[in-house]
Amino acid sequence: MYSFEPNEEQQMLVDAVGKYAQNDLRPAAHDAEESRELPKKLISKGWELGFLQASIPEAYGGFGDRSAVTGALAMEEFAFGDLAGALAVLTPSLFAMPILLGGSEEQKQEYLPKVIEGDWTPYTAALIEYVFDFDPTALKTTATADGGDYVLSGEKAFVPFAKDAEAMIVYASLDGKTQGFIVPKGAAGLSVADEREKLMGLNALPMYRVKLDGVKVPAAKRLGGEAGHDFELILASMRIASASAAVGVAKASLEYATNYAKEREAFGVKIAQKQAIAFMLAEMAIEIEAMRLLTWEAAWKLDTGKEDAAQAAYLAFTGAADMAMMVTDRGVQILGGHGYIREHPVELWMRNGRGFAMLTGLAIV
Amino acid sequence: MTIEFETPKPIAQTQFVLKTVAENMMRPQSREMDENEHEIPFGYIEFMHNAMRSIGGGSLAPKEEKPKEGDEKKEKRPPIAYQNLAAQIEMLSWGDVGFYLVTPGGGLGAAAVQAAGTPEQRAKFLARFNEEKPTFAAMCMTEAGAGSDTSAIRTRAVLDEAANEWVINGEKIFVTAGEKSFNPREQFGKGFIVVWANIDPTAGRAGMRAFVVEAGTPGVKVVGLERKLGIRASDTATISLVDVRVPFENILGSPTVEKTTTGFKGAMATFDATRPLVAASGIGVARAALEFLKEKLAEGGVEIRYGLPRNKLTAVEKEVIDMEIQLRSAWLMVLKAVWMADNKKPNALESSMSKVRAGDVVTKITQKAVEIMGPLGYSREFLLEKWFRDAKITDIYEGTGQINRLVVARQILGYSGKELR
Ligand SMILES: Cc1cc2nc3c(=O)[nH]c(=O)nc-3n(C[C@H](O)[C@H](O)[C@H](O)COP(=O)(O)OP(=O)(O)OC[C@H]3O[C@@H](n4cnc5c(N)ncnc54)[C@H](O)[C@@H]3O)c2cc1C
Ligand SMILES: Cc1cc2nc3c(=O)[nH]c(=O)nc-3n(C[C@H](O)[C@H](O)[C@H](O)COP(=O)(O)OP(=O)(O)OC[C@H]3O[C@@H](n4cnc5c(N)ncnc54)[C@H](O)[C@@H]3O)c2cc1C
């Protein structure tokens, strides 16, 4: 069947996350960006909504099953509030979700309960690299087999909460194929930059450069153990998260611009009454809906194990990244000069909107 | 409810059957029909009519879904008639959209009766599509002076109380299948045209009503057929109406004019139902073009490397990937709009959104495909150039891209037609 309505459980989650996004994330977003600081309380509150916890089966300390569709729905709502806040709340997923999807039984037993029990604790992952042609399937960081171990060498960028992370998954190229490796805090050869990344947006999210200088990882800590894992599945889940986040940010911009256009007067009418503005709003709404549906379908394909799920996720991610740029740009445009001023959030969304082209690796559902 | 994208079995089955029809009956004749405007593909019409009759409904209209007796499990099956119809139209248009437009069964005329008529009127006027001969119906809204602004129609209907008949005067243009409906060939059954007229010009939109005018009614004349950019297998008629008399009961909906916009709403309800179907049709054409493009690229050894970041793709790869994103998302918007129709959810917003999106993407996709194929795209040896010409109509009829943008914008802004014109 075709069906376009979240089930009851999903709707409850969407409502809860939506409330948090509206009442907590959004009001804090401006100051967080300017001060480069997210209040810990804010993150904890988002964590307590239990989104990750509900994605992990009871056997590993959680209370539900992972669904990419549910993840897409939640991610859109989180990002609608504030992208940096959303990514911060969900950073532990960067570590837990790949273990759930590709980890060995021992890895699941060892790490999943630790990550999800109690308060939000920084666990993270390092995928992005500081090169213009970054490609998650052709990494420059390498993993080399060395007896029973692997040795990691290279440099990672934009690693959220790397400084404090209890452990991280480092993605590296093993014989040309991307594989994840679990690296604990303080591992020999692992160094996290003192200075945080300075970026166009997402300044509230602490991100770091991470160096791997011959970091030794035992074979048992390769994601999935000796046999490794299917990175395509993880990448697809990351792409769905990014696409959903793009939809959420774009939705925020559309809503703000719509309300503004209904208030702002020029030439004796509300600017929304001018087709030049109204048509932009209509197109924004259409693009958002188009990419939302494409993302849902990709997520559903992932959940149901369709053969072309990875390709669908790639298409959704690629389309949503373009959409986010188009929509957030217009959000600024509709506010005119005021859109350019940092008092209004549309310019932040535009900065965040541009990020989606490279956001793979900062979120996973 | 849930979020799900599994093609229902009955839809997959009809798609399979229609694909065979498209490949065997439409494609081989596509070029010929394009080059000989106003020729009629009788073989296809005959075949489709018999095929549709044999499965129980002689029209391309959403079937009434009745659960089979004693079949308890099936009683709870969600309705999919509109979804099925959209899928059928997409596949037929993938074959040839000109042919699809001459599929017998009532088209927009029947859709208007369906949307604005009473149950008795539906029973009376729609039964004919299930009879022995293929039968057509058309809808006449547009006039030379009234296109997008349907409320500006000048065609007038006056009640002759003594005779209990309506007397209609006016001229309609761009009537799809007007000729086949009003002047049926001997191979065809007796059709009708639905004529929109005003019964009280002082009331403006509130006075707009639709009338069923039977084929052959005196005073009605098909005065010309258009020669077009594309969809040439479909006749587009100009129809004049001079003192045309129709029985009182042929008025669809209420004959009294309240100071409301009921009449206009009848027209708009028709569009809510048909816009996603027009979108579906355009998407079929664009899919044909995209598949052709990919096939030719593959023959030429060009591989599309899905999964690579944008800045590592070639220009052609980028285009193809964008086309796929556009086409698939447009189709999903159609599915959502018709799914809402099936589930009786108000879908004016989604219908118009799907129409805008389809109008945009199918023109872009077919244009780009022609461009990428170079001489092969421009040559009439292949159908690609024809699909490019055919696709363009998607953004024009059943509300232009601009009109549908207005509908979408009004919905999201909460504006009336007065507040945003
Ligand atoms: C960094 C910066 C520097 C500036 N420097 C100066 C300066 O030195 N001196 C100075 O005087 N001003 C300056 N400005 C002001 C600038 O010129 C205005 O912001 C600009 O003219 C737009 O006006 P507005 O911001 O009030 O937008 P509005 O007029 O409110 O427009 C809002 C939106 O509505 C659209 N719109 C408005 N009217 C119509 C219409 N009739 N039809 C269709 N769309 C319409 C606009 O295009 C825009 O998208 C500056 C602005 C900025 C951001
Ligand atoms: C092949 C074909 C088949 C057709 N079949 C039928 C049929 O079966 N029955 C029927 O009744 N009609 C039919 N039509 C008519 C079709 O619905 C109209 O052509 C269409 O609605 C546009 O009207 P118009 O051509 O008068 O353009 P106009 O209304 O004159 O529009 C011209 C341009 O102005 C734009 N425009 C108009 N109003 C606005 C506005 N308020 N704001 C912004 N832009 C605006 C339009 O988008 C368009 O770009 C058919 C047309 C064609 C070409």
Side-chain angles (χ1 to χ4, degrees):
Chain A
M1 286 296 134
Y2 299 124
S3 177
F4 297 84
E5 237 170 28
N7 66 31
E8 232 172 279
E9 230 172 277
Q10 290 168 331
Q11 194 56 51
M12 272 165 57
L13 176 71
V14 163
D15 292 343
V17 176
K19 224 169 101 189
Y20 166 73
Q22 192 93 45
N23 301 338
D24 299 284
L25 281 182
R26 181 69 64 80
H30 174 83
D31 290 351
E33 172 73 14
E34 297 287 322
S35 67
R36 295 165 56 82
E37 195 104 46
L38 275 164
K40 178 71 188 6
K41 258 189 12 217
L42 182 69
I43 299 178
S44 294
K45 189 165 178 191
W47 174 254
E48 279 155 21
L49 294 171
F51 166 62
L52 176 61
Q53 295 88 323
S55 305
I56 289 179
E58 271 174 50
Y60 310 115
F63 53 87
D65 284 306
R66 183 257 186 176
S67 144
V69 170
T70 306
L73 293 168
M75 191 72 214
E76 175 181 335
E77 289 302 318
F78 272 118
F80 174 73
D82 172 47
L83 186 59
L87 296 179
V89 170
L90 299 175
T91 292
S93 297
L94 289 176
F95 184 81
M97 203 59 89
I99 289 179
L100 182 69
L101 295 174
S104 65
E105 189 53 37
E106 294 88 72
Q107 289 166 352
K108 291 181 196 176
Q109 299 282 4
E110 180 178 354
Y111 292 105
L112 295 180
K114 264 203 279 198
V115 177
I116 57 176
E117 82 188 357
D119 197 5
W120 179 94
T121 318
Y123 284 89
T124 191
L127 176 66
I128 298 173
E129 296 177 342
Y130 204 68
V131 289
F132 78 87
D133 58 349
F134 166 63
D135 175 355
T137 64
L139 297 176
K140 308 251 187 311
T141 300
T142 55
T144 322
D146 177 20
D149 301 335
Y150 293 97
V151 178
L152 306 182
S153 298
E155 193 178 5
K156 292 288 172 182
F158 299 8
V159 186
F161 294 99
K163 192 109 220 138
D164 308 314
E166 298 296 326
M168 66 176 80
I169 294 174
V170 173
Y171 294 95
S173 173
L174 177 67
D175 304 323
K177 275 174 52 189
T178 299
Q179 288 287 290
F181 299 87
I182 300 168
V183 178
K185 194 180 204 162
L190 175 77
S191 58
V192 179
D194 291 329
E195 285 269 313
R196 278 164 60 173
E197 299 271 15
K198 294 195 183 107
L199 308 175
M200 178 165 74
L202 294 179
N203 283 301
L205 183 70
M207 289 189 273
Y208 299 85
R209 217 61 70 79
V210 170
K211 270 211 178 82
L212 300 128
D213 189 6
V215 175
K216 255 200 168 91
V217 180
K221 300 293 172 186
R222 174 179 174 188
L223 194 58
E226 300 275 1
H229 62 96
D230 174 12
F231 178 64
E232 200 176 49
L233 179 63
I234 292 170
L235 182 58
S237 307
M238 287 174 167
R239 283 176 167 157
I240 285 169
S242 297
S244 307
V247 170
V249 171
K251 186 170 78 173
S253 187
L254 170 64
E255 185 191 85
Y256 198 89
T258 303
N259 292 334
Y260 187 88
K262 286 175 77 172
E263 291 295 321
R264 178 71 170 174
E265 288 192 12
F267 305 98
V269 295
K270 306 292 185 197
I271 57 169
Q273 292 178 272
K274 296 282 184 189
Q275 286 191 355
I277 299 292
F279 281 16
M280 279 203 270
L281 291 169
E283 285 161 13
M284 290 156 80
I286 291 165
E287 279 294 314
I288 291 171
E289 175 75 352
M291 290 309 127
R292 176 185 290 125
L293 296 181
L294 201 62
T295 305
W296 284 5
E297 188 188 37
W300 171 82
K301 283 183 172 178
L302 210 56
D303 284 342
T304 51
K306 296 285 180 286
E307 215 178 299
D308 62 342
Q311 182 168 322
Y314 167 74
L315 294 176
F317 163 72
T318 306
D322 282 355
M323 176 280 294
M325 195 61 244
M326 179 280 234
V327 170
T328 56
D329 170 67
R330 286 176 167 200
V332 171
Q333 186 63 24
I334 288 167
L335 268 72
H338 299 272
Y340 203 73
I341 309 299
R342 297 219 295 279
E343 243 162 71
H344 290 283
V346 286
E347 62 79 31
L348 172 60
W349 293 329
M350 183 178 171
R351 287 186 278 137
N352 289 343
R354 183 65 285 178
F356 285 108
M358 40 120 297
L359 260 176
T360 324
L362 295 189
I364 185 167
V365 291
Chain B
M1 277 300 171
T2 170
I3 293 174
E4 229 185 295
F5 296 87
E6 195 81 70
T7 307
K9 272 217 185 75
I11 295 185
Q13 281 161 359
T14 31
Q15 279 175 324
F16 179 79
V17 172
L18 292 180
K19 183 163 190 272
T20 321
V21 174
E23 284 169 337
N24 296 307
M25 303 201 74
M26 302 168 106
R27 290 285 179 89
Q29 264 192 299
S30 263
R31 178 55 68 190
E32 185 190 332
M33 286 295 149
D34 182 61
E35 309 223 321
N36 298 284
E37 197 157 9
H38 305 142
E39 288 275 299
I40 299 174
F42 287 105
Y44 165 79
I45 291 171
E46 225 14 87
F47 176 84
M48 283 302 285
H49 179 65
N50 292 333
M52 289 188 301
R53 269 186 92 201
S54 74
I55 56 168
S59 71
L60 261 187
K63 309 274 179 294
E64 296 278 342
E65 291 172 300
K66 291 189 202 105
K68 285 184 198 127
E69 265 176 67
D71 199 347
E72 277 159 37
K73 231 172 67 200
K74 284 197 178 147
E75 246 171 311
K76 282 208 201 110
R77 208 168 56 183
I80 57 165
Y82 267 109
Q83 295 162 64
N84 204 351
L85 184 56
Q88 289 168 16
I89 291 173
E90 196 270 352
M91 186 59 85
L92 289 173
S93 303
W94 174 85
D96 187 295
V97 64
F99 277 55
Y100 151 62
L101 288 167
V102 297
T103 307
L108 287 180
V113 173
Q114 192 82 36
T118 62
E120 296 74 44
Q121 288 173 326
R122 280 182 222 151
K124 177 172 171 200
F125 294 118
L126 301 180
R128 70 189 71 195
F129 300 109
N130 209 9
E131 279 162 20
E132 201 178 326
K133 287 182 174 181
T135 304
F136 296 86
M139 181 168 98
C140 318
M141 173 71 87
T142 307
E143 299 175 6
S148 298
D149 184 4
T150 49
S151 69
I153 57 168
R154 291 269 188 80
T155 299
R156 190 79 168 84
V158 180
L159 183 62
D160 175 346
E161 283 182 34
N164 204 29
E165 286 174 341
W166 295 96
V167 183
I168 306 175
N169 279 284
E171 184 168 280
K172 297 291 181 180
I173 63 167
F174 296 168
V175 183
T176 297
E179 166 77 5
K180 289 182 194 67
S181 304
F182 192 79
N183 291 327
R185 302 289 181 98
E186 61 186 83
Q187 293 93 331
F188 303 151
K190 186 178 169 202
F192 61 80
I193 57 177
V194 171
V195 176
W196 287 87
N198 206 309
I199 56 173
D200 180 1
T202 62
R205 290 176 166 186
M208 284 172 67
R209 289 294 183 283
F211 298 85
V212 175
V213 178
E214 293 283 356
T217 304
V220 182
K221 236 172 110 180
V222 175
V223 293
L225 296 178
E226 303 289 350
R227 294 155 54 86
K228 306 188 296 293
L229 173 67
I231 54 167
R232 291 181 182 160
S234 165
D235 68 90
T236 307
T238 301
I239 296 182
S240 80
L241 301 104
V242 180
D243 295 332
V244 175
R245 292 186 163 264
V246 301
F248 179 81
E249 59 276 11
N250 282 24
I251 186 170
L252 297 177
S254 160
T256 55
V257 178
E258 301 98 27
K259 289 291 166 203
T260 62
T261 51
T262 2
F264 188 66
K265 280 199 179 119
M268 291 306 115
T270 314
F271 289 139
D272 290 348
T274 55
R275 276 174 178 159
L277 302 178
V278 172
S281 172
I283 287 169
V285 182
R287 182 164 66 85
L290 179 54
E291 285 176 5
F292 175 82
L293 172 68
K294 286 172 71 174
E295 208 179 288
K296 286 287 161 203
L297 287 173
E299 279 172 24
V302 178
E303 188 201 341
I304 310 298
R305 294 167 300 163
Y306 296 94
L308 281 191
R310 271 286 168 82
N311 54 5
K312 281 192 169 179
L313 296 169
T314 64
V316 167
E317 286 174 321
K318 260 186 233 175
E319 296 284 10
V320 172
I321 283 168
D322 274 343
M323 288 178 186
E324 292 197 25
I325 291 167
Q326 312 267 313
L327 190 67
R328 187 68 198 169
S329 58
W331 175 241
L332 293 176
M333 292 183 83
V334 169
L335 277 187
K336 184 172 175 189
V338 289
W339 169 81
M340 291 178 81
D342 278 329
N343 288 283
K344 308 265 181 295
K345 296 171 192 287
N347 71 344
L349 172 66
E350 288 74 12
S351 283
S352 282
M353 291 215 289
S354 74
K355 174 71 165 58
V356 173
R357 177 90 180 153
D360 277 356
V361 312
V362 307
T363 43
K364 265 186 222 148
I365 288 170
T366 51
Q367 286 169 15
K368 273 284 163 202
V370 167
E371 180 193 311
I372 294 171
M373 281 290 97
L376 275 60
Y378 208 67
S379 163
R380 284 198 281 165
E381 256 174 59
F382 294 108
L383 290 169
L384 186 55
E385 64 80 30
K386 173 179 143 34
W387 292 329
F388 158 66
R389 292 183 284 112
D390 286 347
K392 181 60 206 169
I393 192 62
T394 314
D395 206 23
I396 296 173
Y397 59 14
E398 299 289 292
T400 62
Q402 290 66 43
I403 294 306
N404 279 297
R405 275 171 176 79
L406 278 176
V407 175
V408 172
R410 283 179 196 141
Q411 294 261 347
I412 59 181
L413 286 160
Y415 277 172
S416 66
K418 272 215 185 72
E419 289 166 301
L420 180 63
R421 295 169 183 278

